[in-house]
Amino acid sequence: MSELAISFEDIRAAQRRLDGVAHRTPVLTSRTADAMCGAQLYFKCENFQRMGAFKFRGAYNAVARLEPARRAAGVVAFSSGNHAQAIALACRLLESHAVIVMPQDAPRSKVAATRHYGGEVVFYDRYREDREALGRRLAAERGLTLIPPYDHPDIMAGQGTAAAELIEAAGPLDTLLVPLGGGGLLSGSALAARALSPGCAVLGVEPEAGDDGRQSLRAGHIVHIATPSTIADGAQTQHLGKHTFPVIAELVTDIVTVSDAQLVAAMAFFAERMKIVVEPTGALAAAAAFGGRLGLTGKRVGVILSGGNIDLTQFAALLASSDAARAG
Ligand SMILES: *Cc1c(COP(=O)(O)O)cnc(C)c1O
């Protein structure tokens, strides 16, 4: 077996670090969803995690693992999404300092949320500046540690704790469905499933518009694509990571895709039937289960709802567009 970036022991260690800090989020079930799929579905509700997504797990684990001197010097991350807020909150809790590099035109709500958690926001011009270069320059000038959103062993181990909790709560599973962007969540989940529910099939779910993960799994190497156009903004990644890909290639059964329309239909289901807000990226795994093409009949299926951060106006607009589609 090849050397993977992390083992299940790293996930166990992350669980101990997160104990009493991260929420042990609920596992919800729905008779309606079960009837729709002819299966028993267990929804791991990371939309109820601190800051609204599982990203808090990896971010906290990574900042907690820094040596005291580096932690005191601070951290830099580039993201306008959930990773930024997760790093900002983790740094506040661990008495570090977070510098978040964001585009000038990032949604105001995201900028406000990052500042609310104590993060220092540094803007860049997305048409004229390279955010990675800016992040590296800030790191060098100010002695900050760069923490990437997925391709990092401590991030992967932290993200794996959500699936570990799900299996501990629901019992052994036949299938586990996991949203896929850069693969931090999927790689950690696959390691947790192998250790705690051997024989469980683990499927990654990505947007139809950006199926680089599926292409990579088929090709046996990391395939790069242009930034995909999809409402699943947490999965607009262009490629898997050098740490996440080998784990996915070795342990993940398959990668499937869903359309934006399927994401909106799943979000509407969660709001209407289960009274919960799930963001588009957070609905990837559920949309695949509802799609009915995975052969889930009679199975025990874990579904990770990875996050719930969405502007209410955007949420309403998406649901209205799906109403229009249903009516028309
Ligand atoms: C980041 C994110 C993902 C994708 O996670 P990766 O580790 O990049 O694969 C899925 N859902 C939500 C809500 C996210 O924020």
Side-chain angles (χ1 to χ4, degrees):
M1 204 166 76
S2 54
E3 270 300 308
L4 300 179
I6 59 166
S7 71
F8 182 63
E9 276 317 304
D10 298 305
I11 296 175
R12 278 287 187 234
Q15 271 188 310
R16 288 190 289 273
R17 272 178 219 113
L18 289 168
D19 187 29
V21 182
H23 295 313
R24 255 190 117 83
T25 53
V27 176
L28 298 186
T29 57
S30 154
R31 284 169 193 253
T32 310
D34 287 358
M36 258 159 50
C37 299
Q40 268 177 283
L41 304 186
Y42 298 91
F43 297 106
K44 177 64 170 168
C45 293
E46 287 294 298
N47 54 322
F48 293 141
Q49 187 49 265
R50 292 185 76 167
M51 57 61 58
F54 73 93
K55 288 261 183 6
F56 176 68
R57 296 172 180 271
Y60 187 90
N61 190 49
V63 177
R65 288 262 297 150
L66 295 175
E67 317 162 9
R70 300 206 72 178
R71 202 197 294 172
V75 164
V76 60
F78 37 81
S79 160
S80 50
N82 289 331
H83 179 62
Q85 290 165 58
I87 287 287
L89 176 57
C91 284
R92 195 185 71 192
L93 296 172
L94 290 161
E95 292 172 0
S96 182
H97 178 72
V99 176
I100 309 295
V101 179
M102 279 191 185
Q104 270 157 1
D105 56 356
R108 285 182 177 285
S109 58
K110 303 241 156 133
V111 176
T114 304
R115 287 190 173 138
H116 168 78
Y117 291 125
E120 174 190 344
V121 177
V122 174
F123 290 109
Y124 73 100
D125 178 345
R126 73 158 97 210
Y127 303 102
R128 294 183 25 215
E129 285 173 292
D130 172 1
R131 68 174 187 174
E132 296 206 25
L134 177 57
R136 276 194 295 272
R137 199 177 73 223
L138 284 168
E141 281 172 9
R142 294 173 57 175
L144 308 167
T145 302
L146 185 72
I147 301 187
Y150 55 88
D151 203 23
H152 188 295
D154 297 332
I155 295 284
M156 295 158 65
Q159 317 306 34
T161 61
E165 282 177 19
L166 166 58
I167 296 165
E168 283 161 5
L173 301 170
D174 298 309
T175 306
L176 176 62
L177 300 174
V178 185
L180 171 61
L185 183 63
L186 180 58
S187 58
S189 301
L191 277 158
R194 180 175 66 172
L196 298 175
S197 184
C200 172
V202 179
L203 303 186
V205 185
E206 60 187 351
E208 208 168 73
D211 70 338
D212 62 289
R214 182 167 63 172
Q215 291 184 44
S216 302
L217 197 62
R218 301 271 187 284
H221 60 83
I222 300 172
V223 172
H224 291 240
I225 59 168
T227 302
S229 169
T230 167
I231 58 170
D233 57 342
Q236 282 180 309
T237 38
Q238 293 174 265
H239 55 84
L240 299 177
K242 67 178 192 297
H243 296 301
T244 61
F245 175 69
V247 178
I248 291 169
E250 189 164 314
L251 299 180
V252 168
T253 314
D254 203 1
I255 295 173
V256 299
T257 64
V258 296
S259 66
D260 281 6
Q262 285 178 285
L263 292 178
V264 175
M267 291 164 65
F269 176 86
F270 288 116
E272 231 166 48
R273 298 298 181 129
M274 295 176 71
K275 323 301 171 196
I276 59 177
V277 174
V278 180
E279 65 181 274
T281 318
L284 281 164
F290 299 162
R293 289 203 302 245
L294 300 179
L296 301 178
T297 309
K299 293 188 172 161
R300 296 168 49 79
V301 181
V303 178
I304 298 190
L305 302 184
S306 50
N309 290 327
I310 181 167
D311 281 346
L312 273 188
T313 46
Q314 194 202 347
F315 188 76
L318 287 174
L319 294 202
S321 71
S322 82
D323 270 353
R326 269 188 280 180

